[in-house]
Amino acid sequence: MTTREVQQLISGLETSDGAGVVLKRSLGTAQLDYLDPFLLLDEFGSEDGVDYIGGFPDHPHRGFETVTYMLDGIMRHEDNAGNGGSLLPGGVQWMTAGRGIVHSEMPEQKEGLMRGFQLWVNLPASKKMGEPRYQNFSPDEIPEVVSENGTKIRVIAGNYAGTSGAVEGIATAPTYFDVNLPAGTEFTHIIEKEQSAFLYVFEGDIAVGEASPKKVTTSTLAVLTEGENIRVVGGKKGGRFILVAGTPINEPVARHGPFVMNTREEISQAFKDYRAGQF
Ligand code: FE2
């Protein structure tokens, strides 16, 4: 069995989105446009309300999925189909936009730590115009496994040592773990060879790989090579990271702002449909 090594390291690039929310973008940048099927990864994290107070007011999506994982703070979401709720620290929303939704994601606090991730996952052509679907999970609905060496694994999607993640029925058969690894301890996990995989460190640092382990520090994304086994060792103060993997779709990607389709014609159609109020 081959152990995956680090293929590319990408430092989160500071940018802003929505109504001025400060964030670090690693996927969906000039360094890496996308890692099929993953289109974008944003880490947001600030104790200063100025950095997030504007939130993400009403905006549309079509053709892919947005996944929000809150670490700290509370985000309120509402959409044009009448769905709404609050995303609590440790909670997850996996939204399949399908043919289209218009939603908002707004902080429910004016100050204090707000931290989390947004990941965009592509949909195959056959599912881009499907019905929108939400999977919302409160923090206690995300299974947490504590291994013998003290590693904590929150299983958002996929399967860790027989524990299935909360999220189900996603086209790209994703894995999404939050792994909290103590100093010097080892974490291993097998991901099917044909899947793309990456890690993103958000606390401490880790070493990734077996033949030539590479150090990956906070706010850095490590794209992994082909292989099966993933091997990570916690740095001096330990490390916390998300591990994300999924089956590549291998179709043309046409993206513009909040729409991700296969052709430019389909993007134009998305704008027309949105303007015509058909979302
Ligand atoms: Fe959104």
Side-chain angles (χ1 to χ4, degrees):
M1 190 157 47
T2 324
T3 296
R4 293 172 185 250
E5 306 291 333
V6 173
Q7 179 175 303
Q8 186 181 1
L9 288 173
I10 300 167
S11 300
L13 194 70
E14 196 154 295
T15 181
S16 74
D17 207 343
V21 178
V22 176
L23 45 84
K24 283 181 183 148
R25 181 162 294 166
S26 43
L27 277 185
T29 62
Q31 286 187 82
L32 190 56
D33 189 20
Y34 66 95
L35 178 69
D36 193 5
F38 305 108
L39 300 157
L40 175 142
L41 182 73
D42 286 342
E43 174 193 21
F44 50 94
S46 178
E47 293 190 24
D48 187 350
V50 171
D51 288 341
Y52 58 74
I53 198 71
F56 301 88
D58 274 351
H59 59 278
H61 292 292
R62 171 179 280 183
F64 65 105
E65 306 181 281
T66 67
V67 182
T68 309
Y69 178 35
M70 288 301 287
L71 293 166
D72 296 285
I74 303 175
M75 193 84 93
R76 167 114 202 133
H77 63 92
E78 278 173 15
D79 75 6
N80 62 337
N83 301 299
S86 293
L87 206 52
L88 303 172
V92 172
Q93 180 187 71
W94 198 294
M95 185 195 74
T96 306
R99 55 171 298 282
I101 58 108
V102 180
H103 76 160
S104 63
E105 300 148 294
M106 301 299 289
E108 274 199 339
Q109 63 195 57
K110 290 187 171 61
E111 52 190 39
L113 185 59
M114 169 78 77
R115 191 166 71 129
F117 290 102
Q118 183 157 110
L119 173 72
W120 288 12
V121 186
N122 208 356
L123 285 168
S126 61
K127 303 215 163 169
K128 282 186 180 294
M129 294 299 278
E131 280 303 305
R133 176 188 179 207
Y134 287 89
Q135 297 187 65
N136 287 308
F137 300 98
S138 60
D140 58 357
E141 290 174 311
I142 306 291
E144 186 172 300
V145 180
V146 182
S147 73
E148 272 173 28
N149 63 15
T151 305
K152 277 191 204 136
I153 301 116
R154 303 193 77 229
V155 189
I156 294 164
N159 187 293
Y160 178 76
T163 299
S164 287
V167 176
E168 313 178 312
I170 301 297
T172 48
T175 290
Y176 193 148
F177 298 163
D178 167 354
V179 181
N180 197 338
L181 191 57
T185 60
E186 185 186 60
F187 166 85
T188 59
H189 185 65
I190 293 165
I191 293 280
E192 284 175 36
K193 200 175 180 180
E194 62 272 20
Q195 290 206 325
S196 307
F198 70 85
L199 306 170
Y200 187 94
V201 180
F202 59 97
E203 287 174 19
D205 60 74
I206 57 177
V208 181
E210 187 150 40
S212 56
K214 278 208 171 65
K215 186 175 174 177
V216 187
T217 55
T218 304
S219 295
T220 305
L221 183 143
V223 177
L224 303 183
T225 57
E226 266 193 22
E228 289 117 344
N229 191 38
I230 291 172
R231 178 177 178 268
V232 183
V233 177
K236 272 189 187 143
K237 291 178 182 168
R240 192 170 170 199
F241 60 92
I242 54 171
L243 160 61
V244 179
T247 307
I249 293 170
N250 294 315
E251 289 177 4
V253 174
R255 67 198 282 180
H256 193 101
F259 308 129
V260 184
M261 303 300 289
N262 298 110
T263 66
R264 290 173 68 175
E265 290 69 31
E266 289 166 344
I267 294 288
S268 305
Q269 191 61 47
F271 276 103
K272 274 184 211 149
D273 292 350
Y274 175 54
R275 279 194 222 107
Q278 288 170 2
F279 271 39

